[in-house]
């Protein structure tokens, strides 16, 4: 028995599929073809270039996007990422190495020099993950034996002339290459192709082994080899917002130049009125009122005369709400919307702050992997040169984190003090988040206390000699840690035995 088929080859008698989204019927609306390929094939290198280009343009021109990306980088890095050795032995050597790296390597870790120090390099890496999808650090040892990092932007890594997906020559011949990443059969990167010439030609390149490259990105798919801009899901929405804003700006400029609309029978000004004159009568004539700046439009009326004032009643709430919706959808996977535009309620604001903390923690996790690899590379170079001691566990390093994103800084500071008193937080966790190691903090604190006591002693002696009175400025008078600070001569009677009064015995 023959079966009647529709135009798609599906029998009319087939029942509806259990999963409605699997139905392929254009009469039901927009349909999408089935594509079950790896993400590197679904998003081709050319598509990735277009995404990066548009994302970079929008980051440069849309304040909300740039602000969100920069805020995320600032909260993720700050003045932290200071090294701390967490090995089980060689504690003193670890502190010595941490101090050396901070003072010597941190300011000079980037081949470009200042202002591209350690913190700025990390901040730019965070921005690149959101804006471009990824970034690359190449480990370099200069002729002076100093280890440095060369930052390679995402658009400088690509297939080059080998657009067929296979390396045609060199050490990695016949290896698979995908958007500049040369991989083994297992998918592990073997090398990265850095384009060194004109990107429009892409014929000059250098294949650098993966051991010498730090690839910084946050994959969304298990098979992914390159990063995707964080706003790829909403680039069209942001583009529409930008285009709409440009059109609205032009419209506002036009309306701002208009002041009055006059309706009369002639559709023009009264030429007999001495206050009016014709400007440029030999060319395109336009009527201008001398006593009022330009911006009066004349319209012909059916009967009678009237005058209307031009009102600025747009773009209005509908336009504003649509813009906000587009921005909210754009920021949703990347950064809390209310940090840019407050929610207005404390509970909602705190909920959004918690989301922001999670975004920051995830970004710090990505940056920590890159930071540990770069730090270990630099340490190994310095150790081979004999400038720092050898550790039992050279990879046992951790990095401090900046203060948590907070809706109430006072409450967070009080919480830190309470946790410190309860023993749940160490001093170094508080000081390193503010850009100081624990040793530096105590050194500065000790110098401050010593200076305070020296000045108090000197002033006491000078005033005593000039006045003839014995004056002593006590340390508690210089800095009272509590409101009821007690003097040194006050005796503590809490552990003394109180002798009974003789009269009490008699009674």
């Amino acid at each position: 028995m023959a079966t009647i088929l529709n135009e798609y080859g599906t029998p009319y008698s087939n029942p509806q599929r259990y999963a409605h989204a699997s139905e392929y019927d254009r009469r039901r609306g927009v349909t999408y073809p089935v594509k079950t390929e790896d993400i590197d094939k679904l998003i081709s290198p050319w598509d990735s270039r277009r995404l990066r280009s548009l994302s970079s343009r929008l980051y440069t021109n849309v304040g909300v996007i740039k602000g969100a990306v920069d805020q995320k980088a600032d909260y993720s890095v700050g003045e932290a990422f200071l090294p701390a050795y967490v090995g089980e032995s060689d504690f003193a050597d670890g502190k010595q190495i941490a101090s050396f790296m901070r003072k010597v390597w941190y300011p000079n870790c980037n081949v470009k020099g200042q202002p591209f120090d350690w913190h700025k390099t990390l901040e730019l890496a965070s921005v690149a993950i959101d804006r471009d999808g990824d970034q690359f650090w190449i480990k370099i040892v200069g002729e002076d034996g100093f280890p440095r990092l060369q930052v390679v932007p995402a658009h400088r890594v690509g297939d080059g002339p080998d657009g067929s997906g296979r390396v045609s020559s060199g050490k990695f011949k016949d290896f698979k290459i995908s958007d500049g990443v040369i991989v083994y059969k297992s998918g592990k990167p073997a090398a990265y192709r850095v384009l060194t010439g004109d990107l429009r030609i892409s014929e000059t390149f250098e294949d650098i082994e993966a051991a010498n490259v730090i690839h910084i990105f946050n994959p969304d798919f298990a098979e992914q080899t390159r990063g995707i801009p964080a706003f790829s899901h909403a680039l069209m929405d942001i583009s529409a917002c930008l285009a709409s804003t440009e059109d609205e700006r032009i419209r506002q400029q036009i309306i701002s130049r208009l002041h009055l609309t006059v309706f009369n029978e002639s559709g023009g000004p009264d030429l007999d009125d001495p206050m009016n004159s014709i400007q440029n009568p030999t060319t395109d004539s336009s009527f201008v009122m001398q006593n009022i700046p330009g911006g009066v439009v004349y319209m012909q009326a059916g009967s009678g005369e009237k005058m209307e004032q031009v009102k600025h009643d747009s773009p209005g709430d509908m336009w504003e709400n649509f813009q906000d919706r587009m921005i909210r959808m754009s920021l949703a996977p990347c950064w809390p919307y209310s940090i840019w535009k407050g929610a207005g309620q404390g509970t909602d604001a705190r909920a959004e702050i918690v989301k922001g903390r999670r975004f920051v923690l995830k970004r710090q996790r990505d940056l920590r992997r890159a930071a540990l690899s770069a730090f270990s590379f630099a340490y190994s170079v310095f150790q081979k040169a004999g400038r720092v001691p050898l550790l039992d566990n050279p990879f046992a390093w951790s990095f401090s984190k900046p203060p948590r994103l907070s809706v109430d800084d006072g409450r967070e500071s009080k919480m830190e003090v309470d946790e410190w008193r309860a023993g749940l937080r160490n001093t170094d966790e508080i000081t390193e988040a503010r850009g100081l190691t624990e040793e530096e903090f105590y050194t500065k604190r000790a110098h401050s206390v010593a200076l305070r006591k020296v000045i108090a002693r000197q002033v006491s002696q000078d005033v005593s000699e000039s006045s003839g009175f014995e004056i002593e400025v006590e340390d508690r008078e210089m800095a009272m840690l509590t409101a009821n600070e007690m003097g040194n001569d006050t005796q503590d009677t809490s552990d003394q035995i109180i002798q009974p009064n003789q009269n009490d015995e008699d009674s």
Side-chain angles (χ1 to χ4, degrees):
M1 178 178 178
T3 303
I4 301 177
L5 306 178
N6 61 13
E7 58 182 313
Y8 306 109
T10 303
Y12 279 105
S13 59
N14 276 9
Q16 187 182 49
R17 290 179 173 84
Y18 180 81
H20 297 178
S22 63
E23 292 284 347
Y24 188 78
D25 188 349
R26 293 180 181 177
R27 292 173 299 178
R28 300 182 58 191
V30 180
T31 58
Y32 301 95
V34 177
K35 290 188 176 181
T36 54
E37 296 284 351
D38 293 345
I39 191 63
D40 293 339
K41 290 184 178 180
L42 295 178
I43 302 179
S44 66
W46 176 253
D47 291 342
S48 296
R49 288 178 59 186
R50 292 181 62 88
L51 292 176
R52 296 187 195 108
S53 175
L54 183 55
S55 178
S56 179
R57 179 181 291 270
L58 295 178
Y59 167 81
T60 305
N61 293 281
V62 181
V64 177
I65 302 302
K66 177 175 172 56
V69 172
D70 291 348
Q71 274 187 350
K72 191 175 181 179
D74 185 27
Y75 284 120
S76 299
V77 179
E79 299 298 325
F81 271 86
L82 305 179
Y85 183 63
V86 293
E88 298 180 357
S89 60
D90 299 332
F91 183 72
D93 290 342
K95 293 187 65 175
Q96 176 187 346
I97 295 171
S99 177
F100 172 84
M101 296 291 284
R102 288 186 61 244
K103 295 178 181 179
V104 176
W105 190 67
Y106 271 26
N108 307 288
C109 65
N110 196 313
V111 295
K112 297 188 67 174
Q114 295 296 333
F116 299 94
D117 57 5
W118 177 246
H119 292 97
K120 177 56 66 174
T121 301
L122 288 171
E123 286 180 10
L124 293 178
S126 178
V127 171
I129 294 175
D130 289 330
R131 183 191 60 211
D132 306 323
D134 51 12
Q135 192 180 78
F136 303 84
W137 294 351
I138 301 178
K139 306 172 187 177
I140 295 177
V141 180
E143 296 180 356
D144 56 355
F146 198 93
R148 292 182 177 89
L149 302 173
Q150 180 177 356
V151 177
V152 177
H155 64 270
R156 278 284 172 186
V157 175
D159 292 345
D162 293 331
S164 61
R166 293 285 177 179
V167 179
S168 59
S169 62
K171 179 179 179 180
F172 303 98
K173 184 178 180 180
D174 295 331
F175 276 56
K176 180 182 177 182
I177 182 171
S178 175
D179 202 4
V181 182
I182 303 172
V183 297
Y184 295 105
K185 292 182 179 180
S186 62
K188 180 180 179 181
Y192 294 88
R193 176 161 294 180
V194 178
L195 307 178
T196 57
D198 190 344
L199 293 179
R200 293 173 297 181
I201 303 175
S202 301
E203 291 183 354
T204 57
F205 60 88
E206 182 178 358
D207 293 340
I208 302 176
E209 294 187 8
N212 298 322
V213 179
I214 302 174
H215 186 189
I216 310 172
F217 76 114
N218 182 23
D220 295 318
F221 299 86
E223 71 276 14
Q224 191 173 341
T225 57
R226 289 292 303 270
I228 302 173
F231 296 94
S232 296
H233 67 284
L235 290 178
M236 297 305 297
D237 293 339
I238 305 173
S239 300
C241 290
L242 182 60
S244 175
T245 303
E246 294 288 345
D247 293 340
E248 189 62 32
R249 184 184 296 113
I250 296 173
R251 196 190 66 82
Q252 288 289 335
Q253 291 176 349
I254 295 175
I255 295 178
S256 296
R257 293 188 176 97
L258 302 178
H259 307 300
L260 297 173
T261 302
V262 177
F263 295 88
N264 55 28
E265 294 183 356
S266 64
D270 186 2
L271 299 181
D272 295 331
D273 189 342
M275 299 304 296
N276 299 335
S277 64
I278 298 179
Q279 185 180 24
N280 300 327
T282 58
T283 60
D284 295 335
S285 299
S286 60
F287 296 105
V288 178
M289 297 187 67
Q290 293 179 342
N291 58 338
I292 299 179
V296 178
V297 178
Y298 291 90
M299 304 292 292
Q300 188 173 11
S303 61
E305 295 184 1
K306 65 176 180 178
M307 182 180 298
E308 293 181 356
Q309 182 179 0
V310 177
K311 297 180 180 180
H312 294 249
D313 55 359
S314 59
D317 294 338
M318 292 294 293
W319 186 87
E320 186 73 21
N321 292 336
F322 180 77
Q323 294 287 92
D324 281 351
R325 179 178 176 83
M326 293 293 99
I327 294 173
R328 187 186 297 272
M329 293 174 61
S330 303
L331 294 180
C334 310
W335 195 240
Y337 174 81
S338 65
I339 293 181
W340 171 72
K341 190 172 183 179
Q345 298 181 1
T347 304
D348 293 340
R350 289 185 175 89
E352 292 294 300
I353 291 296
V354 172
K355 296 179 184 177
R357 289 175 180 172
R358 294 302 306 171
F359 284 126
V360 168
L361 289 176
K362 291 178 63 177
R363 179 51 45 83
Q364 288 173 342
R365 179 188 61 192
D366 299 332
L367 295 178
R368 183 187 177 279
R369 286 194 293 261
L372 180 60
S373 179
F375 187 91
S376 301
F377 153 70
Y379 161 72
S380 63
V381 174
F382 286 128
Q383 193 279 320
K384 290 180 181 179
R387 303 186 65 176
V388 294
L390 177 63
L391 298 172
D392 291 340
N393 191 347
F395 298 99
W397 293 95
S398 66
F399 298 94
S400 61
K401 298 179 181 179
R404 292 197 308 174
L405 179 62
S406 171
V407 71
D408 189 344
D409 291 337
R411 178 179 297 179
E412 293 290 335
S413 298
K414 184 178 183 301
M415 182 193 68
E416 288 182 345
V417 174
D418 293 339
E419 290 181 350
W420 178 81
R421 288 175 175 172
L424 300 177
R425 185 187 294 264
N426 295 327
T427 305
D428 60 342
E429 296 176 321
I430 301 176
T431 57
E432 289 177 357
R434 289 163 172 77
L436 288 174
T437 63
E438 187 176 18
E439 182 178 1
E440 289 175 334
F441 167 75
Y442 280 128
T443 301
K444 293 183 66 174
R445 179 69 179 271
H447 277 289
S448 177
V449 173
L451 181 62
R452 183 182 73 222
K453 293 184 177 181
V454 168
I455 293 176
R457 179 67 62 85
Q458 290 177 345
V459 173
S460 297
Q461 293 177 353
D462 293 341
V463 174
S464 297
E465 293 176 358
S466 61
S467 64
F469 295 96
E470 185 67 25
I471 303 297
E472 180 180 0
V473 179
E474 298 182 7
D475 188 53
R476 68 183 182 89
E477 296 173 312
M478 296 289 290
M480 296 182 65
L481 299 180
T482 64
N484 299 317
E485 192 75 26
M486 304 299 293
N488 295 330
D489 56 347
T490 304
Q491 295 182 355
D492 185 5
T493 61
S494 60
D495 58 348
Q496 295 181 356
I497 300 177
I498 302 178
Q499 301 295 335
N501 191 297
Q502 190 68 27
N503 295 333
D504 293 341
E505 277 189 358
D506 294 340
S507 61

